[in-house]
Every structure is written in structure tokens, then in C-alpha cells.
Amino acid sequence: MSKESLQNRILALSALSVGFSLISSAFSFYYVKVFLNHYHIEESWFQLSQTLFMIWNAINDPLFAYCQDSTNFRCSRTRRESVLYAAPFFALSFLVPWFPWGDPETLQPWVTGIHLITALCFWDTMFTYVGLGYCCLFTEMTSDNNERLKLIRYTQLGSLLGSSSVFILQNLSDQLENFQMFQTTCILVAVISCLFMMYCGKHAHTERELQQESDAKSGKPQIVKFQEYSYFTLSKQILFNRDFLAFVIMNFFQEFHRTFVSNFFAIFGDQLIEKGSIPSIVRSTFYGASTTGAKLTVIFGASIVSRYGYFKVLRYGQIILVISGLVYYIIGPVNQWCLMLFMLLDSCLVDCISALFNLALSDVADNDVIRYNRRHPVTSMVYGMNALVVKPAQSLSPMFVVKILNVYGYDHLKDGTLNATEVQDLSSVMFNLLCLYPCVIGCIQFCSWSFYRIREKQSFDMTVYVGAGTDTV
């Protein structure tokens, strides 16, 4: 395949990264804060919605994955078409949380609860479908690790541009004080995101798809997807792979930590950094930097990954997380500028580590094809089974944190009924959570990652499965 062709496809995947990040960064950053502070959702409904969200998370990923790997519907025939047809619905799902079903002050608690359940399930349905296409495009666009690192740099650049949505929303809405402006800006963000994703859906061809198009022009039989194993057999083959297990255990706790950072960064920042102690523009920049710092680090640090390999880089990242959390816990909240620096370091490290995970999972998917001599790749299933294990962390993490915060009176903080001592206790538990999360999770990840055996990229020829051995019509 020509270099120019690959460059065009990388550009298309980067466009998907922009569109995906525009709405996913804003969604994860704001939905907890909006429902807790603006809609005043009751804790019982919040916990129920997260529980149902967790169940749906566990069900839909492997099912959609099997569908994308095994069916030939127009919306799942190729990876790019999965993105193309789902993009408008994904953008629409982003808008659902920001428009309450009535006046939040007079709504019945169950209405707000059903609103959150609907928003989370609709969002995750489209997030999963488009996200699987995104991940599979990354894996199947090229099998060369150097080119995959190049893909990471370009997609992180796209993600960096997309994550600016948080900074824009923070400033235009005056940190949610002007909620109507927030809603209007969200509509604009959704439209722009949809256009970027649809561009990817038009142009992001994989090597397999290009080979099929070439075969069609030369008069060869059309190749269609066919899965020789049942859903349960295929799931067992993937789940009982030692490398896959080592990765998903680490990834589960990574997502637990990442969700904590993205959902509660603004909430903890508002409580621990006193209003008026820093200029408003600095606070907005601080919140915006929480989603951009990691992207810049990955873009400029990709050469380090190329030199030392992602296994060692992830290992060192885990060690730094543990040490930084432990050191700052011992030192204590010295001043607010140091606190801001620590929060940014934690957020940056978490996102940097997550950005490299597609390299590891792509290697797992590549080796799965060789191990079982597959007639065509089951990349979606590998990512889907990963999500089956990992996605529950997205619900468990906020449930865990909200429960702890409410024990210390966070649900009454919004009413202004806490006294000074109770407010101080709440601030202390927030600080402890900030420090202990990276310490505990980093230790667990260090142990799990030790069982991962794919330390060096093995040679893998994409022609092993491009058009090989599949049924024809």
C-alpha cells in the first residue's frame, strides 16, 4: 500500500479522534457535575442509574463486537461504515444529558433518575459501537508497530484538539453559571463532532478493505465475513488467554482511576481550591489542561515508547503513580498551587498510560489470529471482551466515590447546611482519595502487568488474514 494512501487513512482516523474526543471529553467531565449540582439528583437514583449503566455496559460490548466481526449489514460491513452510520446518533446521545425534562427545581426525583438512566444507556450504546470501530481501525489499518506509534501521535493530536471542548465550555458557560450558553455550545460541539466522524467513515479504509476492493476490480469473488466459532467458544478463547487476562485486569483498575479523575476533577477542584484564591481564567485553564496535558506528552514522547517499548513505559508510569501519590499524601496539602500541580500530574499520567493501551491490545489481537489460525481477524471481539471486563469500572468508580462523599455530607454541601468542621472533614476525605487512588491502583497494576508476556513485538504479516480462507459468494 502506498505511503500516500496510508497518510490519507491516518488523517481520516485522526478526524475520528477529533470528533470522538470533542464529545467524550465533555461528557465524562460534566455529566456527574450537572446531575449532582444542577439537577440535584437523589443519591438512590444516581446509584441505580450507575448500576443499570454497569449492567448494560457489560452486555452491549461483546454483542456489538460479535456483530461487527460476523455480520455483513451495511452498518457493520466494514469498520469505517460502522463509524459512518452511527456518527449522527452518537452526536445526538451527547446532547441528551444537557436538556432536563422540566424545571430541575420542581421535577419529581424519579424523572431526573430516568433522565440519567436514559442518557447513560443511550450514550454508552453509541460510544461502544463507534468506539469499537475506532479501535479496530487502529489495529487493522497497519500491523507495523512503528506505524501504530505514528497513528497514536496523530490520533492524540486529534484528541488534543477535541479535548479543547472542555476549555471552551468552561469559558463560554462561565463554569456552568450560564447553563443556557452551555446547552447552545454543546449543540455546536455535537454538530462539529458528527462532521469529523463522518469524514472518517468515508475515508478510513483498512488494509483488508482495500484488498477486497482490489479483488473486486479484478473480478475475484466477493469476500464476506464468516465466523467459524460460536459466540461462547470465541469468548472463551479470548478470555482464557494469559496475556489478555493480565492486560484487562490492569485496564480495569486503569479505567477505575481514569473515571475517577475525569468525573470528579472539577468537583474536587471546586472544593479544595477556594474560590477567589486564583483568577477565574487560571481555574478554567487548569480544568482545560487536565484533558490536554496528556495528549501533548504522548505526542512529543512517542519516540521514548519507540525506543524502550510500551511494556517498560507502562511499567515506569505505574511506579511514578505510586510514588507521587504516596509522597503527596505524606507531605499533605501544602498550598493550592502544589495541589493543582499534583492533580494535573495525576490526570496526565492516567491519560498517558491509557493512550498506550491500544498498542498492547493490538498485539493481543494480532497474536490471537496466529494462535487460532483464524480465517479472518476478530479484532472487535478482542476489544469487546476487554470492554466486558473493564467497562463496569466506569460505574463502580463514581458509585464508590459518591457514597464516600455523601457519608461526609457532600449531599448537604449544596444546601449550605454543613458547618465549618464538617466542610473541613469533607475536604480532607477528598484529599485522601486524590492521593490513595494512584497508590493503591498503581500497586495492583504493577503486579498484573508482570504476567503480560508480549514484551517485544513479534513479526506479523497482515496477509495472514487479508482475504485468506474466508467464504465467498
Side-chain angles (χ1 to χ4, degrees):
M1 220 60 61
S2 70
K3 183 176 181 180
E4 180 180 0
S5 175
L6 179 60
Q7 289 287 0
N8 290 337
R9 290 182 286 139
I10 289 176
L11 178 63
L13 191 62
S14 300
L16 173 57
S17 180
V18 175
F20 199 92
S21 184
L22 273 171
I23 56 179
S24 61
S25 296
F27 187 93
S28 61
F29 192 89
Y30 283 111
Y31 93 84
V32 172
K33 186 175 182 179
V34 167
F35 275 90
L36 287 179
N37 295 357
H38 193 80
Y39 300 162
H40 308 297
I41 189 172
E42 291 186 353
E43 181 186 347
S44 58
W45 277 104
F46 182 84
Q47 301 288 18
L48 175 62
S49 65
Q50 292 292 342
T51 301
L52 294 176
F53 177 46
M54 177 175 60
I55 294 171
W56 177 235
N57 251 332
I59 294 173
N60 68 9
D61 286 275
L63 289 180
F64 286 153
Y66 192 78
C67 174
Q68 288 191 7
D69 276 339
S70 308
T71 62
N72 294 282
F73 301 121
R74 192 165 183 82
C75 63
S76 63
R77 188 171 52 189
T78 63
R79 306 305 187 189
R80 65 175 184 83
E81 286 175 312
S82 296
V83 174
L84 176 64
Y85 291 107
F89 299 99
F90 188 27
L92 179 62
S93 71
F94 167 71
L95 296 176
V96 173
W98 322 130
F99 294 88
W101 296 354
D103 185 356
E105 301 298 331
T106 59
L107 278 177
Q108 292 292 323
W110 67 269
V111 177
T112 305
I114 295 298
H115 181 195
L116 179 56
I117 292 171
T118 303
L120 288 177
C121 290
F122 184 25
W123 165 262
D124 187 63
T125 299
M126 304 319 304
F127 182 93
T128 296
Y129 199 82
V130 176
L132 283 171
Y134 184 2
C135 293
C136 292
L137 283 170
F138 174 89
T139 299
E140 296 179 11
M141 193 166 284
T142 176
S143 59
D144 183 85
N145 250 10
N146 289 325
E147 291 180 346
R148 282 176 175 170
L149 274 172
K150 187 177 181 180
L151 273 175
I152 284 182
R153 296 180 82 163
Y154 276 85
T155 54
Q156 285 296 302
L157 180 59
S159 184
L160 174 64
L161 295 175
S163 63
S164 62
S165 60
V166 174
F167 179 77
I168 294 170
L169 287 165
Q170 277 289 107
N171 282 279
L172 293 183
S173 68
D174 192 21
Q175 301 177 47
L176 288 184
E177 294 296 327
N178 187 343
F179 197 71
Q180 187 175 4
M181 177 57 73
F182 174 78
Q183 293 171 315
T184 303
T185 309
C186 282
I187 294 175
L188 180 62
V189 167
V191 171
I192 296 173
S193 170
C194 182
L195 293 175
F196 273 107
M197 289 188 286
M198 292 183 71
Y199 175 84
C200 173
K202 290 284 188 180
H203 302 285
H205 300 270
T206 64
E207 291 188 354
R208 177 182 175 84
E209 186 184 357
L210 291 172
Q211 183 64 50
Q212 290 177 352
E213 291 179 357
S214 176
D215 291 345
K217 289 179 181 178
S218 62
K220 293 183 180 179
Q222 181 185 359
I223 297 173
V224 298
K225 284 185 268 186
F226 175 79
Q227 187 51 252
E228 62 266 38
Y229 295 105
S230 70
Y231 173 81
F232 294 102
T233 300
L234 191 58
S235 300
K236 186 174 72 172
Q237 289 174 346
I238 295 171
L239 280 172
F240 285 89
N241 183 326
R242 171 179 163 173
D243 296 312
F244 179 82
L245 282 173
F247 174 81
V248 294
I249 291 173
M250 179 186 69
N251 197 11
F252 174 87
F253 288 99
Q254 181 69 18
E255 191 64 21
F256 201 87
H257 190 184
R258 193 193 64 80
T259 302
F260 163 71
V261 171
S262 62
N263 287 171
F264 294 94
F265 194 91
I267 292 175
F268 281 32
D270 288 348
Q271 179 63 24
L272 297 176
I273 303 171
E274 299 178 3
K275 289 186 177 181
S277 61
I278 59 174
S280 178
I281 186 64
V282 174
R283 185 183 292 270
S284 295
T285 304
F286 167 63
Y287 289 153
S290 68
T291 60
T292 60
K295 278 76 175 178
L296 290 170
T297 303
V298 174
I299 291 169
F300 293 108
S303 58
I304 298 176
V305 182
S306 179
R307 180 176 180 180
Y308 296 102
Y310 65 79
F311 181 87
K312 290 183 178 179
V313 172
L314 291 176
R315 170 72 84 207
Y316 296 147
Q318 295 157 2
I319 294 173
I320 294 172
L321 275 175
V322 174
I323 293 175
S324 63
L326 185 61
V327 168
Y328 199 67
Y329 180 74
I330 294 173
I331 294 175
V334 180
N335 61 58
Q336 295 183 338
W337 291 99
C338 288
L339 177 63
M340 290 169 62
L341 180 61
F342 171 74
M343 291 178 68
L344 284 177
L345 174 64
D346 186 39
S347 175
C348 182
L349 277 173
V350 168
D351 284 345
C352 283
I353 291 173
S354 297
L356 300 179
F357 277 9
N358 273 0
L359 286 174
L361 206 51
S362 293
D363 276 355
V364 172
D366 288 348
N367 281 273
D368 173 84
V369 176
I370 299 174
R371 182 178 183 182
Y372 292 102
N373 194 27
R374 305 231 187 253
R375 298 197 291 179
H376 63 84
V378 289
T379 313
S380 285
M381 276 298 292
V382 173
Y383 280 98
M385 298 310 295
N386 167 69
L388 173 68
V389 179
V390 172
K391 282 289 191 73
Q394 295 180 354
S395 296
L396 291 173
S397 186
M399 290 170 65
F400 173 72
V401 176
V402 167
K403 186 66 177 178
I404 292 177
L405 294 184
N406 284 345
V407 168
Y408 286 85
Y410 181 77
D411 50 343
H412 299 298
L413 178 68
K414 297 168 292 217
D415 304 330
T417 57
L418 294 183
N419 59 43
T421 302
E422 291 170 329
V423 170
Q424 183 60 40
D425 290 341
L426 178 61
S427 297
S428 295
V429 77
M430 286 184 174
F431 176 79
N432 290 339
L433 284 171
L434 279 175
C435 296
L436 294 179
Y437 249 76
C439 287
V440 176
I441 288 176
C443 288
I444 297 173
Q445 289 180 313
F446 186 91
C447 295
S448 175
W449 194 229
S450 300
F451 291 93
Y452 185 81
R453 295 174 297 187
I454 311 176
R455 305 297 171 87
E456 299 293 340
K457 173 66 177 176
Q458 299 176 8
S459 61
F460 183 77
D461 187 356
M462 187 68 77
T463 60
V464 167
Y465 62 80
V466 172
T470 52
D471 285 8
T472 60
V473 294

PDB file of all heavy atoms in Angstrom, residues 250-265:
ATOM      1  N   MET A 250      -5.257  -5.107  34.556  1.00  0.00           N
ATOM      2  CA  MET A 250      -4.615  -3.800  34.676  1.00  0.00           C
ATOM      3  C   MET A 250      -5.525  -2.706  34.125  1.00  0.00           C
ATOM      4  O   MET A 250      -5.663  -1.632  34.723  1.00  0.00           O
ATOM      5  CB  MET A 250      -3.292  -3.799  33.907  1.00  0.00           C
ATOM      6  CG  MET A 250      -2.560  -2.461  33.957  1.00  0.00           C
ATOM      7  SD  MET A 250      -1.088  -2.397  32.913  1.00  0.00           S
ATOM      8  CE  MET A 250      -1.825  -2.436  31.286  1.00  0.00           C
ATOM      9  N   ASN A 251      -6.182  -2.980  33.007  1.00  0.00           N
ATOM     10  CA  ASN A 251      -7.033  -1.985  32.362  1.00  0.00           C
ATOM     11  C   ASN A 251      -8.266  -1.668  33.191  1.00  0.00           C
ATOM     12  O   ASN A 251      -8.746  -0.531  33.196  1.00  0.00           O
ATOM     13  CB  ASN A 251      -7.440  -2.488  30.973  1.00  0.00           C
ATOM     14  CG  ASN A 251      -7.961  -1.370  30.095  1.00  0.00           C
ATOM     15  OD1 ASN A 251      -7.852  -0.191  30.415  1.00  0.00           O
ATOM     16  ND2 ASN A 251      -8.544  -1.741  28.970  1.00  0.00           N
ATOM     17  N   PHE A 252      -8.805  -2.677  33.903  1.00  0.00           N
ATOM     18  CA  PHE A 252      -9.962  -2.431  34.770  1.00  0.00           C
ATOM     19  C   PHE A 252      -9.640  -1.360  35.810  1.00  0.00           C
ATOM     20  O   PHE A 252     -10.395  -0.402  36.004  1.00  0.00           O
ATOM     21  CB  PHE A 252     -10.391  -3.724  35.464  1.00  0.00           C
ATOM     22  CG  PHE A 252     -11.490  -3.526  36.482  1.00  0.00           C
ATOM     23  CD1 PHE A 252     -12.816  -3.548  36.094  1.00  0.00           C
ATOM     24  CD2 PHE A 252     -11.188  -3.306  37.825  1.00  0.00           C
ATOM     25  CE1 PHE A 252     -13.832  -3.352  37.018  1.00  0.00           C
ATOM     26  CE2 PHE A 252     -12.198  -3.113  38.762  1.00  0.00           C
ATOM     27  CZ  PHE A 252     -13.522  -3.140  38.355  1.00  0.00           C
ATOM     28  N   PHE A 253      -8.518  -1.522  36.484  1.00  0.00           N
ATOM     29  CA  PHE A 253      -8.149  -0.544  37.510  1.00  0.00           C
ATOM     30  C   PHE A 253      -7.705   0.779  36.898  1.00  0.00           C
ATOM     31  O   PHE A 253      -7.862   1.836  37.519  1.00  0.00           O
ATOM     32  CB  PHE A 253      -7.070  -1.134  38.417  1.00  0.00           C
ATOM     33  CG  PHE A 253      -7.585  -2.205  39.332  1.00  0.00           C
ATOM     34  CD1 PHE A 253      -7.417  -3.545  39.012  1.00  0.00           C
ATOM     35  CD2 PHE A 253      -8.275  -1.875  40.480  1.00  0.00           C
ATOM     36  CE1 PHE A 253      -7.916  -4.541  39.840  1.00  0.00           C
ATOM     37  CE2 PHE A 253      -8.776  -2.859  41.320  1.00  0.00           C
ATOM     38  CZ  PHE A 253      -8.603  -4.190  40.991  1.00  0.00           C
ATOM     39  N   GLN A 254      -7.169   0.720  35.684  1.00  0.00           N
ATOM     40  CA  GLN A 254      -6.843   1.962  34.980  1.00  0.00           C
ATOM     41  C   GLN A 254      -8.117   2.760  34.701  1.00  0.00           C
ATOM     42  O   GLN A 254      -8.166   3.977  34.897  1.00  0.00           O
ATOM     43  CB  GLN A 254      -6.135   1.643  33.670  1.00  0.00           C
ATOM     44  CG  GLN A 254      -5.724   2.859  32.864  1.00  0.00           C
ATOM     45  CD  GLN A 254      -4.593   3.634  33.535  1.00  0.00           C
ATOM     46  OE1 GLN A 254      -3.904   3.095  34.399  1.00  0.00           O
ATOM     47  NE2 GLN A 254      -4.399   4.867  33.132  1.00  0.00           N
ATOM     48  N   GLU A 255      -9.166   2.067  34.255  1.00  0.00           N
ATOM     49  CA  GLU A 255     -10.426   2.738  33.964  1.00  0.00           C
ATOM     50  C   GLU A 255     -11.091   3.222  35.252  1.00  0.00           C
ATOM     51  O   GLU A 255     -11.733   4.269  35.285  1.00  0.00           O
ATOM     52  CB  GLU A 255     -11.368   1.783  33.219  1.00  0.00           C
ATOM     53  CG  GLU A 255     -12.590   2.444  32.627  1.00  0.00           C
ATOM     54  CD  GLU A 255     -12.254   3.468  31.551  1.00  0.00           C
ATOM     55  OE1 GLU A 255     -11.143   3.395  30.971  1.00  0.00           O
ATOM     56  OE2 GLU A 255     -13.094   4.355  31.293  1.00  0.00           O
ATOM     57  N   PHE A 256     -10.925   2.455  36.328  1.00  0.00           N
ATOM     58  CA  PHE A 256     -11.440   2.871  37.637  1.00  0.00           C
ATOM     59  C   PHE A 256     -10.823   4.205  38.045  1.00  0.00           C
ATOM     60  O   PHE A 256     -11.515   5.119  38.511  1.00  0.00           O
ATOM     61  CB  PHE A 256     -11.102   1.781  38.663  1.00  0.00           C
ATOM     62  CG  PHE A 256     -11.960   1.798  39.894  1.00  0.00           C
ATOM     63  CD1 PHE A 256     -13.164   1.120  39.918  1.00  0.00           C
ATOM     64  CD2 PHE A 256     -11.557   2.478  41.022  1.00  0.00           C
ATOM     65  CE1 PHE A 256     -13.968   1.124  41.058  1.00  0.00           C
ATOM     66  CE2 PHE A 256     -12.347   2.494  42.164  1.00  0.00           C
ATOM     67  CZ  PHE A 256     -13.548   1.816  42.180  1.00  0.00           C
ATOM     68  N   HIS A 257      -9.515   4.309  37.843  1.00  0.00           N
ATOM     69  CA  HIS A 257      -8.786   5.533  38.184  1.00  0.00           C
ATOM     70  C   HIS A 257      -9.108   6.662  37.213  1.00  0.00           C
ATOM     71  O   HIS A 257      -9.363   7.804  37.614  1.00  0.00           O
ATOM     72  CB  HIS A 257      -7.281   5.238  38.180  1.00  0.00           C
ATOM     73  CG  HIS A 257      -6.439   6.337  38.736  1.00  0.00           C
ATOM     74  ND1 HIS A 257      -5.067   6.290  38.738  1.00  0.00           N
ATOM     75  CD2 HIS A 257      -6.763   7.528  39.305  1.00  0.00           C
ATOM     76  CE1 HIS A 257      -4.591   7.394  39.293  1.00  0.00           C
ATOM     77  NE2 HIS A 257      -5.595   8.163  39.628  1.00  0.00           N
ATOM     78  N   ARG A 258      -9.114   6.349  35.916  1.00  0.00           N
ATOM     79  CA  ARG A 258      -9.360   7.372  34.901  1.00  0.00           C
ATOM     80  C   ARG A 258     -10.766   7.971  35.036  1.00  0.00           C
ATOM     81  O   ARG A 258     -10.956   9.183  34.880  1.00  0.00           O
ATOM     82  CB  ARG A 258      -9.183   6.780  33.496  1.00  0.00           C
ATOM     83  CG  ARG A 258      -9.111   7.811  32.387  1.00  0.00           C
ATOM     84  CD  ARG A 258      -9.265   7.173  31.027  1.00  0.00           C
ATOM     85  NE  ARG A 258     -10.581   6.583  30.878  1.00  0.00           N
ATOM     86  CZ  ARG A 258     -11.674   7.287  30.582  1.00  0.00           C
ATOM     87  NH1 ARG A 258     -11.596   8.590  30.401  1.00  0.00           N
ATOM     88  NH2 ARG A 258     -12.833   6.691  30.465  1.00  0.00           N
ATOM     89  N   THR A 259     -11.752   7.113  35.331  1.00  0.00           N
ATOM     90  CA  THR A 259     -13.120   7.606  35.513  1.00  0.00           C
ATOM     91  C   THR A 259     -13.215   8.507  36.732  1.00  0.00           C
ATOM     92  O   THR A 259     -13.905   9.539  36.718  1.00  0.00           O
ATOM     93  CB  THR A 259     -14.091   6.424  35.664  1.00  0.00           C
ATOM     94  OG1 THR A 259     -13.997   5.583  34.503  1.00  0.00           O
ATOM     95  CG2 THR A 259     -15.529   6.913  35.801  1.00  0.00           C
ATOM     96  N   PHE A 260     -12.512   8.140  37.783  1.00  0.00           N
ATOM     97  CA  PHE A 260     -12.472   8.976  38.983  1.00  0.00           C
ATOM     98  C   PHE A 260     -11.916  10.352  38.657  1.00  0.00           C
ATOM     99  O   PHE A 260     -12.486  11.386  39.040  1.00  0.00           O
ATOM    100  CB  PHE A 260     -11.621   8.283  40.049  1.00  0.00           C
ATOM    101  CG  PHE A 260     -11.167   9.187  41.169  1.00  0.00           C
ATOM    102  CD1 PHE A 260     -12.069   9.652  42.110  1.00  0.00           C
ATOM    103  CD2 PHE A 260      -9.842   9.566  41.274  1.00  0.00           C
ATOM    104  CE1 PHE A 260     -11.651  10.484  43.147  1.00  0.00           C
ATOM    105  CE2 PHE A 260      -9.411  10.393  42.295  1.00  0.00           C
ATOM    106  CZ  PHE A 260     -10.321  10.847  43.242  1.00  0.00           C
ATOM    107  N   VAL A 261     -10.815  10.389  37.927  1.00  0.00           N
ATOM    108  CA  VAL A 261     -10.189  11.662  37.585  1.00  0.00           C
ATOM    109  C   VAL A 261     -11.103  12.507  36.697  1.00  0.00           C
ATOM    110  O   VAL A 261     -11.329  13.694  36.959  1.00  0.00           O
ATOM    111  CB  VAL A 261      -8.826  11.433  36.892  1.00  0.00           C
ATOM    112  CG1 VAL A 261      -8.276  12.748  36.351  1.00  0.00           C
ATOM    113  CG2 VAL A 261      -7.828  10.811  37.861  1.00  0.00           C
ATOM    114  N   SER A 262     -11.657  11.899  35.648  1.00  0.00           N
ATOM    115  CA  SER A 262     -12.457  12.676  34.695  1.00  0.00           C
ATOM    116  C   SER A 262     -13.779  13.146  35.289  1.00  0.00           C
ATOM    117  O   SER A 262     -14.234  14.255  35.003  1.00  0.00           O
ATOM    118  CB  SER A 262     -12.709  11.844  33.432  1.00  0.00           C
ATOM    119  OG  SER A 262     -13.445  10.679  33.729  1.00  0.00           O
ATOM    120  N   ASN A 263     -14.406  12.310  36.120  1.00  0.00           N
ATOM    121  CA  ASN A 263     -15.715  12.666  36.683  1.00  0.00           C
ATOM    122  C   ASN A 263     -15.637  13.631  37.855  1.00  0.00           C
ATOM    123  O   ASN A 263     -16.554  14.437  38.069  1.00  0.00           O
ATOM    124  CB  ASN A 263     -16.469  11.409  37.132  1.00  0.00           C
ATOM    125  CG  ASN A 263     -17.000  10.587  35.971  1.00  0.00           C
ATOM    126  OD1 ASN A 263     -17.474   9.481  36.155  1.00  0.00           O
ATOM    127  ND2 ASN A 263     -16.902  11.110  34.753  1.00  0.00           N
ATOM    128  N   PHE A 264     -14.552  13.562  38.630  1.00  0.00           N
ATOM    129  CA  PHE A 264     -14.510  14.321  39.881  1.00  0.00           C
ATOM    130  C   PHE A 264     -13.422  15.388  39.915  1.00  0.00           C
ATOM    131  O   PHE A 264     -13.232  16.036  40.950  1.00  0.00           O
ATOM    132  CB  PHE A 264     -14.323  13.356  41.068  1.00  0.00           C
ATOM    133  CG  PHE A 264     -15.503  12.450  41.274  1.00  0.00           C
ATOM    134  CD1 PHE A 264     -15.526  11.191  40.714  1.00  0.00           C
ATOM    135  CD2 PHE A 264     -16.604  12.869  42.003  1.00  0.00           C
ATOM    136  CE1 PHE A 264     -16.617  10.353  40.886  1.00  0.00           C
ATOM    137  CE2 PHE A 264     -17.698  12.041  42.181  1.00  0.00           C
ATOM    138  CZ  PHE A 264     -17.705  10.781  41.617  1.00  0.00           C
ATOM    139  N   PHE A 265     -12.723  15.563  38.808  1.00  0.00           N
ATOM    140  CA  PHE A 265     -11.656  16.562  38.773  1.00  0.00           C
ATOM    141  C   PHE A 265     -12.216  17.951  39.097  1.00  0.00           C
ATOM    142  O   PHE A 265     -11.683  18.677  39.951  1.00  0.00           O
ATOM    143  CB  PHE A 265     -10.996  16.568  37.397  1.00  0.00           C
ATOM    144  CG  PHE A 265      -9.691  17.317  37.344  1.00  0.00           C
ATOM    145  CD1 PHE A 265      -8.494  16.669  37.572  1.00  0.00           C
ATOM    146  CD2 PHE A 265      -9.657  18.676  37.072  1.00  0.00           C
ATOM    147  CE1 PHE A 265      -7.282  17.341  37.521  1.00  0.00           C
ATOM    148  CE2 PHE A 265      -8.460  19.373  37.019  1.00  0.00           C
ATOM    149  CZ  PHE A 265      -7.272  18.699  37.249  1.00  0.00           C
TER     150      PHE A 265
END
